[in-house]
Amino acid sequence: MVYLLPLFTVFIWGGNAIVNKMAASTIEPSAMSFYRWFLAVVVLTPFCLPKVIARWSTIRPHLAKLTFLALLGMVLNQSLSYYAGLTTSASNMALITSLVPLIAIFISVPILSKPISLLSIVGGVIALFGLTFMLGKGDVGFFFQQDITPGDGIMVIASVCYAAYCVLLKRWKMPLSNWTMVYMQGLLALIMLTPLWLTSDALIPTQHALPLIAYAGLAASIAAPWMWVKAIDLIGADSSAMFMNLMPVVSIALASSLLGETIHDYHIAGGLLVVSGVVLSQLKLKRQVGKRLENVKQV
């Protein structure tokens, strides 16, 4: 039953790609980003604000780092995802997002001084080939013939932002609880998103946009992070991370059934290569975990 936690989390985050695409035709990206975190902050405030006030002396020295993390993970990553939904499919968005763990491995080299394994390099080549195959609709040489779709390019930038966020989150270990981190970053993101929201043509969301805001603000921003943190506590970060490879599968299945997107052979072939490359890049980490477990058993 414990493994249902990361599985449900992946389903929620996989569904978020569908929400991103649906939001593109329902509400302006600037307003969607703002209302998502407005709702999340309102719900979290009664629980988190007293703790923030009590520990303000500990939080204050880390405000600059928290602000930068909020900019990467909650402003740029999520806002760009909504803008990407205007010109690309939910399937493409999900497959590009699945590259985040792989991108994080390579960003970890200069930031965390981590060496890259041969498996990570091979996995990276396979994943990039799969992504190129998918974006080129079966033609890996399309980069030399035509420009990349704006939405796909925006999603690549969004994925790099989130990968950098994940690496910096590990680099800047702060003496704060997970919920305090989420709340403070959400609050700082809301402040940064306010000027962008004020540029929207329609400041008040329509009735059709409310379910999308509720899903993004409650399910994707509160419920999913809580289940993910709980899963990490119970089964470990390495085991939980492997479930993330299911996210593009969930998103593509939902895109086909809910949005009527046609799933072509190049989606399946490219997607399998992307997921295989990402899994391959994680195998070394998994083996190390296995060795540690063997050492524990021997003791």
Side-chain angles (χ1 to χ4, degrees), residues 79-214:
S79 296
L80 290 173
S81 297
Y82 294 130
Y83 281 105
L86 296 170
T87 53
T88 190
S89 66
S91 302
N92 283 19
M93 293 169 69
L95 285 172
I96 295 172
T97 302
S98 68
L99 288 173
V100 167
L102 184 63
I103 298 172
I105 290 175
F106 287 89
I107 294 179
S108 296
V109 176
I111 296 178
L112 301 179
S113 301
K114 280 192 172 184
I116 298 180
S117 68
L118 179 60
L119 282 177
S120 295
I121 296 175
V122 174
V125 172
I126 293 174
L128 288 176
F129 180 83
L131 183 64
T132 303
F133 187 84
M134 187 268 295
L135 295 181
K137 299 180 180 179
D139 179 15
V140 294
F142 86 103
F143 282 115
F144 302 102
Q145 303 168 10
Q146 57 185 334
D147 296 330
I148 189 172
T149 303
D152 293 331
I154 291 172
M155 276 308 301
V156 170
I157 297 173
S159 298
V160 171
C161 288
Y162 194 67
Y165 168 84
C166 295
V167 174
L168 288 175
L169 196 62
K170 187 173 183 179
R171 175 70 176 82
W172 293 334
K173 292 182 179 179
M174 305 177 205
L176 306 174
S177 68
N178 290 319
W179 281 119
T180 300
M181 291 279 290
V182 171
Y183 179 73
M184 284 302 303
Q185 290 177 62
L187 192 60
L188 291 166
L190 191 60
I191 295 172
M192 287 184 276
L193 287 168
T194 298
L196 188 63
W197 166 64
L198 292 174
T199 65
S200 304
D201 293 332
L203 297 179
I204 305 300
T206 64
Q207 191 173 9
H208 296 292
L210 294 179
L212 303 178
I213 294 172

Side-chain angles (χ1 to χ4, degrees), residues 3 61 66 93 149 153 181 209 223 263 282 292:
Y3 285 91
L66 288 170
M93 293 169 69
T149 303
M181 291 279 290
I263 306 304
Q282 295 173 320
R292 288 198 293 268

Side-chain angles (χ1 to χ4, degrees), residues 218-234:
L218 299 178
S221 300
I222 297 178
W226 181 85
M227 289 191 290
W228 188 250
V229 169
K230 196 69 176 176
I232 290 174
D233 290 338
L234 294 174

Side-chain angles (χ1 to χ4, degrees), residues 204-276:
I204 305 300
T206 64
Q207 191 173 9
H208 296 292
L210 294 179
L212 303 178
I213 294 172
Y215 185 96
L218 299 178
S221 300
I222 297 178
W226 181 85
M227 289 191 290
W228 188 250
V229 169
K230 196 69 176 176
I232 290 174
D233 290 338
L234 294 174
I235 66 176
D238 303 328
S239 298
S240 299
M242 295 303 290
F243 278 85
M244 291 300 292
N245 298 311
L246 295 174
M247 194 175 71
V249 178
V250 173
S251 296
I252 290 175
L254 291 174
S256 176
S257 58
L258 298 179
L259 301 180
E261 291 187 2
T262 303
I263 306 304
H264 299 280
D265 291 339
Y266 57 79
H267 280 118
I268 298 173
L272 287 173
L273 287 171
V274 168
V275 173
S276 299

